[in-house]
Amino acid sequence: MKHLPVIAVTSGEPAGIGPELCSSLVSAAWPAQLVIVGDAELIAARAAAIGRPLSVRHFEPGRAPAPGVLDVLHVPLAVPAQPGQLDVRNAGYVLATLDAAIDGCLSGSFAAMVTAPVQKSVINDAGIAFSGHTEYLAERTATARVVMMLAGQYGAARNWLRVALATTHLPLSAVPQALTPAMLEEVLQILHADLRDKFGLAQPRILVAGLNPHAGEGGHMGREEIDVIEPVLARLRAQGMQLIGPLPADTLFTPHQLERGDAVLAMYHDQGLPTLKFATFGGGINVTLGLPIIRTSVDHGTALDLAGSGRADAGSLHAAIDCALSMLGAAPGA
């Protein structure tokens, strides 16, 4: 038992598919102790409703996991939750589950945290400013800069596609102003360091997308490549980083180009993620780089229309746990 890492799994938006995805974890043999963070009665009731009855017990540190039993760090709902029906009164509950997992990771009680999806809109509707897990984790861990990276295996060869983002949840009109030399350099340093230290890539090769069509086409379609991206890449190459780019995003995600790198850095959210999700959806994962803790997540949303149906695919949640284990050194690397 003392050798098993303890991983917190937050159950996400209570009206979404998160609680039932968590109930699927009891059926697998994990080289870790998984602790679901959420309302214990909700987890048990949602599992029973989809024909997956299970035993739930309150988590006690140091107690060995038991076959067929789900350990739950109980965080009570504010009001009962119904599948598919958002309720702003439970917004605080969702953040409380995240806080419990973060605090446990910071204290060393948990070795890593894995998150089921949350509904950003209902948290904001409750009057709480919330732009996403990534930004919330950065604030709660007092981390100045974090990097969102999604990853998954694709194609017959099951190659890994890793896509990191220079900017995350910003309006497209705000991206050029946010893309400063200092910010881009910091993002690349974080991406390089975590690919090396957490993914075991001794000399990571990073493909860097341009911001504009055709990577600016020599300044005719924008100067961000000339004024911002290229100088940063030259500076970091001089420090020994293997950086390829800036590359036109419309041809970057082709087999020939992807074979040249271990990860892609896209300049904004919808530049990098549509291709990744097309190639890996259902088995992809989200990783927050640059944190003092390990955090992975699913690559999908709350799927309110599937909640309570028993048809939600738990593949991404299982892959996120596998990735956390890999980063901990408890399983083969991603």
Short mmCIF file of all heavy atoms in Angstrom, two decimals, residues 209-239:
data_model
loop_
_atom_site.label_atom_id
_atom_site.label_comp_id
_atom_site.label_asym_id
_atom_site.label_seq_id
_atom_site.Cartn_x
_atom_site.Cartn_y
_atom_site.Cartn_z
N ALA A 209 4.02 26.86 -34.56
CA ALA A 209 3.16 27.43 -35.59
C ALA A 209 3.34 28.93 -35.68
O ALA A 209 3.64 29.60 -34.68
CB ALA A 209 1.69 27.11 -35.28
N GLY A 210 3.14 29.46 -36.87
CA GLY A 210 3.02 30.90 -37.02
C GLY A 210 1.65 31.35 -36.56
O GLY A 210 0.75 30.53 -36.34
N LEU A 211 1.47 32.64 -36.43
CA LEU A 211 0.16 33.18 -36.04
C LEU A 211 -0.73 33.41 -37.25
O LEU A 211 -1.92 33.09 -37.23
CB LEU A 211 0.34 34.49 -35.28
CG LEU A 211 -0.95 35.24 -34.93
CD1 LEU A 211 -1.78 34.45 -33.92
CD2 LEU A 211 -0.64 36.64 -34.40
N ASN A 212 -0.17 33.93 -38.31
CA ASN A 212 -0.94 34.36 -39.47
C ASN A 212 -0.99 33.29 -40.55
O ASN A 212 -0.21 32.34 -40.53
CB ASN A 212 -0.31 35.63 -40.04
CG ASN A 212 -0.35 36.78 -39.04
OD1 ASN A 212 -1.41 37.25 -38.69
ND2 ASN A 212 0.83 37.21 -38.59
N PRO A 213 -1.92 33.41 -41.51
CA PRO A 213 -1.93 32.48 -42.65
C PRO A 213 -0.57 32.47 -43.32
O PRO A 213 0.09 33.50 -43.48
CB PRO A 213 -3.01 33.07 -43.57
CG PRO A 213 -3.93 33.81 -42.66
CD PRO A 213 -3.03 34.39 -41.59
N HIS A 214 -0.13 31.26 -43.71
CA HIS A 214 1.16 31.07 -44.38
C HIS A 214 2.32 31.59 -43.53
O HIS A 214 3.35 32.01 -44.07
CB HIS A 214 1.17 31.73 -45.76
CG HIS A 214 0.10 31.23 -46.67
ND1 HIS A 214 -0.15 31.79 -47.90
CD2 HIS A 214 -0.81 30.24 -46.53
CE1 HIS A 214 -1.17 31.17 -48.48
NE2 HIS A 214 -1.58 30.22 -47.65
N ALA A 215 2.14 31.58 -42.21
CA ALA A 215 3.16 32.09 -41.28
C ALA A 215 3.58 33.51 -41.63
O ALA A 215 4.74 33.89 -41.53
CB ALA A 215 4.37 31.15 -41.23
N GLY A 216 2.59 34.31 -42.04
CA GLY A 216 2.83 35.72 -42.32
C GLY A 216 3.28 36.03 -43.73
O GLY A 216 3.24 37.17 -44.17
N GLU A 217 3.73 35.03 -44.46
CA GLU A 217 4.20 35.18 -45.84
C GLU A 217 5.13 36.38 -45.99
O GLU A 217 4.89 37.31 -46.77
CB GLU A 217 3.00 35.31 -46.81
CG GLU A 217 3.33 34.83 -48.22
CD GLU A 217 2.09 34.62 -49.07
OE1 GLU A 217 1.52 33.50 -49.01
OE2 GLU A 217 1.70 35.56 -49.77
N GLY A 218 6.22 36.33 -45.21
CA GLY A 218 7.24 37.37 -45.31
C GLY A 218 6.78 38.75 -44.90
O GLY A 218 7.35 39.75 -45.34
N GLY A 219 5.76 38.82 -44.06
CA GLY A 219 5.26 40.10 -43.60
C GLY A 219 4.07 40.63 -44.38
O GLY A 219 3.45 41.63 -43.98
N HIS A 220 3.70 39.97 -45.48
CA HIS A 220 2.57 40.43 -46.29
C HIS A 220 1.23 40.11 -45.64
O HIS A 220 0.22 40.71 -45.99
CB HIS A 220 2.64 39.82 -47.69
CG HIS A 220 3.82 40.28 -48.48
ND1 HIS A 220 3.94 41.56 -48.99
CD2 HIS A 220 4.98 39.62 -48.82
CE1 HIS A 220 5.10 41.67 -49.63
NE2 HIS A 220 5.74 40.51 -49.55
N MET A 221 1.20 39.14 -44.71
CA MET A 221 -0.04 38.76 -44.03
C MET A 221 0.07 38.96 -42.52
O MET A 221 -0.59 38.29 -41.74
CB MET A 221 -0.41 37.31 -44.33
CG MET A 221 -0.82 37.07 -45.77
SD MET A 221 -1.51 35.42 -45.99
CE MET A 221 -1.85 35.43 -47.75
N GLY A 222 0.93 39.87 -42.10
CA GLY A 222 1.13 40.13 -40.69
C GLY A 222 2.59 40.03 -40.31
O GLY A 222 3.36 39.29 -40.93
N ARG A 223 2.97 40.77 -39.28
CA ARG A 223 4.38 40.84 -38.92
C ARG A 223 4.72 40.13 -37.61
O ARG A 223 5.87 40.19 -37.15
CB ARG A 223 4.82 42.31 -38.82
CG ARG A 223 4.84 43.02 -40.17
CD ARG A 223 5.59 44.35 -40.04
NE ARG A 223 6.93 44.18 -39.50
CZ ARG A 223 8.01 43.86 -40.23
NH1 ARG A 223 7.89 43.66 -41.54
NH2 ARG A 223 9.19 43.74 -39.64
N GLU A 224 3.74 39.45 -36.99
CA GLU A 224 4.03 38.80 -35.71
C GLU A 224 5.15 37.77 -35.82
O GLU A 224 5.96 37.60 -34.90
CB GLU A 224 2.77 38.15 -35.14
CG GLU A 224 1.78 39.13 -34.55
CD GLU A 224 0.88 39.77 -35.59
OE1 GLU A 224 0.98 39.41 -36.79
OE2 GLU A 224 0.05 40.63 -35.20
N GLU A 225 5.20 37.06 -36.94
CA GLU A 225 6.27 36.08 -37.13
C GLU A 225 7.64 36.77 -37.14
O GLU A 225 8.60 36.28 -36.51
CB GLU A 225 6.06 35.30 -38.44
CG GLU A 225 4.92 34.30 -38.40
CD GLU A 225 3.55 34.95 -38.51
OE1 GLU A 225 3.48 36.16 -38.87
OE2 GLU A 225 2.56 34.27 -38.24
N ILE A 226 7.74 37.89 -37.85
CA ILE A 226 9.01 38.60 -37.99
C ILE A 226 9.39 39.32 -36.70
O ILE A 226 10.55 39.28 -36.25
CB ILE A 226 8.93 39.60 -39.16
CG1 ILE A 226 8.77 38.84 -40.48
CG2 ILE A 226 10.17 40.50 -39.20
CD1 ILE A 226 8.47 39.74 -41.67
N ASP A 227 8.42 39.98 -36.08
CA ASP A 227 8.71 40.84 -34.94
C ASP A 227 8.75 40.12 -33.60
O ASP A 227 9.41 40.57 -32.66
CB ASP A 227 7.67 41.97 -34.86
CG ASP A 227 7.73 42.91 -36.06
OD1 ASP A 227 8.79 42.94 -36.73
OD2 ASP A 227 6.72 43.57 -36.34
N VAL A 228 8.01 39.00 -33.49
CA VAL A 228 7.88 38.33 -32.20
C VAL A 228 8.41 36.90 -32.25
O VAL A 228 9.34 36.54 -31.51
CB VAL A 228 6.40 38.32 -31.73
CG1 VAL A 228 6.28 37.56 -30.40
CG2 VAL A 228 5.88 39.74 -31.58
N ILE A 229 7.83 36.06 -33.11
CA ILE A 229 8.10 34.62 -33.03
C ILE A 229 9.52 34.27 -33.44
O ILE A 229 10.24 33.57 -32.71
CB ILE A 229 7.07 33.84 -33.87
CG1 ILE A 229 5.64 34.14 -33.38
CG2 ILE A 229 7.36 32.34 -33.80
CD1 ILE A 229 4.55 33.52 -34.23
N GLU A 230 9.98 34.75 -34.60
CA GLU A 230 11.30 34.36 -35.09
C GLU A 230 12.43 34.80 -34.15
O GLU A 230 13.35 34.02 -33.88
CB GLU A 230 11.51 34.91 -36.50
CG GLU A 230 10.66 34.19 -37.54
CD GLU A 230 10.78 34.80 -38.93
OE1 GLU A 230 11.52 35.80 -39.07
OE2 GLU A 230 10.14 34.29 -39.86
N PRO A 231 12.41 36.03 -33.61
CA PRO A 231 13.48 36.41 -32.68
C PRO A 231 13.52 35.54 -31.41
O PRO A 231 14.60 35.20 -30.91
CB PRO A 231 13.17 37.87 -32.34
CG PRO A 231 12.38 38.36 -33.52
CD PRO A 231 11.56 37.19 -33.96
N VAL A 232 12.34 35.18 -30.90
CA VAL A 232 12.30 34.32 -29.72
C VAL A 232 12.88 32.95 -30.04
O VAL A 232 13.68 32.39 -29.27
CB VAL A 232 10.86 34.20 -29.19
CG1 VAL A 232 10.77 33.09 -28.13
CG2 VAL A 232 10.40 35.52 -28.59
N LEU A 233 12.51 32.38 -31.17
CA LEU A 233 13.02 31.06 -31.54
C LEU A 233 14.54 31.10 -31.71
O LEU A 233 15.25 30.19 -31.27
CB LEU A 233 12.36 30.57 -32.83
CG LEU A 233 10.84 30.37 -32.81
CD1 LEU A 233 10.37 29.68 -34.08
CD2 LEU A 233 10.39 29.59 -31.58
N ALA A 234 15.05 32.16 -32.34
CA ALA A 234 16.50 32.28 -32.53
C ALA A 234 17.22 32.35 -31.18
O ALA A 234 18.28 31.72 -30.99
CB ALA A 234 16.81 33.51 -33.38
N ARG A 235 16.66 33.10 -30.25
CA ARG A 235 17.27 33.26 -28.93
C ARG A 235 17.33 31.92 -28.19
O ARG A 235 18.33 31.58 -27.57
CB ARG A 235 16.48 34.30 -28.15
CG ARG A 235 17.22 34.95 -27.04
CD ARG A 235 16.67 36.32 -26.67
NE ARG A 235 15.22 36.36 -26.51
CZ ARG A 235 14.41 37.10 -27.27
NH1 ARG A 235 14.90 37.83 -28.26
NH2 ARG A 235 13.11 37.11 -27.05
N LEU A 236 16.23 31.16 -28.25
CA LEU A 236 16.18 29.89 -27.53
C LEU A 236 16.97 28.79 -28.23
O LEU A 236 17.50 27.90 -27.57
CB LEU A 236 14.72 29.48 -27.34
CG LEU A 236 13.91 30.40 -26.42
CD1 LEU A 236 12.46 29.93 -26.32
CD2 LEU A 236 14.53 30.49 -25.03
N ARG A 237 17.05 28.86 -29.54
CA ARG A 237 17.91 27.89 -30.25
C ARG A 237 19.36 28.07 -29.81
O ARG A 237 20.11 27.09 -29.69
CB ARG A 237 17.79 28.08 -31.76
CG ARG A 237 16.50 27.59 -32.37
CD ARG A 237 16.57 27.61 -33.89
NE ARG A 237 15.26 27.42 -34.48
CZ ARG A 237 14.56 28.38 -35.10
NH1 ARG A 237 15.07 29.61 -35.21
NH2 ARG A 237 13.38 28.12 -35.61
N ALA A 238 19.77 29.31 -29.60
CA ALA A 238 21.13 29.58 -29.16
C ALA A 238 21.41 28.99 -27.78
O ALA A 238 22.57 28.77 -27.41
CB ALA A 238 21.39 31.09 -29.15
N GLN A 239 20.33 28.72 -27.02
CA GLN A 239 20.46 28.10 -25.70
C GLN A 239 20.38 26.58 -25.77
O GLN A 239 20.43 25.91 -24.75
CB GLN A 239 19.37 28.63 -24.77
CG GLN A 239 19.44 30.12 -24.52
CD GLN A 239 18.28 30.63 -23.66
OE1 GLN A 239 17.62 29.86 -22.97
NE2 GLN A 239 18.02 31.93 -23.71
#
